Amino acid sequence: MTSPATPRARRRALTGTLTALGLSSVMITTVGAPPASAATWPTPSSSQAVSSTISVSGVRDGGMVRYYGSGDLAGDGQEEGQDPIFELAAGATLKNVIIGAPGADGIHCEGNCTLQNVWWEDVGEDAATFRGGSTYTVTGGGAKKAADKVFQHNGPGTLNVSNFAVSEFKTLYRSCGDCSTQYTRKVNLSNIEVTGTGSTARLVGINVNRNDVATLRGITILNDSSRKVIPCQKYNNNTAVGTGPDSTNCLYAASDITYR
């Protein structure tokens, strides 16, 4: 999803313990710890079809239920404007949730939010879209089968992602390149396990003309001997203008990236 919030009509489209997080112990560590081994994806406790967006305020613990779209939320492609499975009000926390297929537009955060131990088995349009607020936190969990983006950042502020696993994806994080209202955005990635597929993929895509900043620490990339995974892609809005670390926008060193 690349555009800012608009009224949405009815559409076709749609942490407990370390064990619950489903990540190996080396992944749940501070920066500078040994690199991650392959994440173990959780088994859902049950499955629940969702035909209309679930609104969340406060804290919602999903108990590792798999939620998947049905009816108007049965989309699993890249059509713009799909509705989400969950919509989080400002200050809300969603934890211990699995989003299955169809995944619609995943999760929308309307303000500051926390996603804790949330797993996307088959990303639809996007896994999560951050639309308003100043600070968003994703801790634990993972996403796979993202034909385009995992995290879409449309609003202002900073997204912090830690102890997260991603595979079969094109872009893990994208700062919106064509939103009608633009901002300077920041993203911090820490202890991220990435599984390459041999195709080009990007960990972050940021707008250097908007002074975006990406900080990468403790990144482990598996199955990428040909170095197809680009840690930091720079854009002027939607025009790619370079890659690689620098002292202004893409903040990381060779030691922050481990290949296995």
Side-chain angles (χ1 to χ4, degrees), residues 19-22 40-50 54 60-69 85-86 94-103 106-107 115-123 127 141-144:
T19 301
L21 282 173
T40 300
W41 283 69
T43 300
S45 58
S46 63
S47 293
Q48 178 179 325
V50 179
I54 298 170
R60 181 182 180 117
D61 188 333
M64 301 313 295
V65 171
R66 173 195 285 132
Y67 296 86
Y68 63 93
I85 302 290
F86 291 97
L94 180 66
K95 63 182 182 178
N96 301 325
V97 162
I98 299 170
I99 296 182
I107 297 169
L115 306 180
Q116 180 181 347
N117 195 33
V118 176
W119 300 82
W120 291 263
E121 294 179 325
D122 191 337
V123 175
K144 56 186 175 181

Side-chain angles (χ1 to χ4, degrees), residues 83-150:
D83 285 335
I85 302 290
F86 291 97
E87 184 174 78
L88 275 59
T93 295
L94 180 66
K95 63 182 182 178
N96 301 325
V97 162
I98 299 170
I99 296 182
D105 200 27
I107 297 169
H108 288 182
C109 283
E110 300 302 318
N112 294 353
C113 69
T114 297
L115 306 180
Q116 180 181 347
N117 195 33
V118 176
W119 300 82
W120 291 263
E121 294 179 325
D122 191 337
V123 175
E125 184 182 349
D126 300 316
T129 302
F130 304 95
R131 299 154 64 92
S134 59
T135 305
Y136 324 92
T137 300
V138 177
T139 178
K144 56 186 175 181
K145 300 181 180 179
D148 191 7
K149 302 174 297 296
V150 177

Side-chain angles (χ1 to χ4, degrees), residues 7 15 92 128 141 147 168 180 225 258:
T15 345
E168 301 174 70
S180 58
S225 59
T258 298

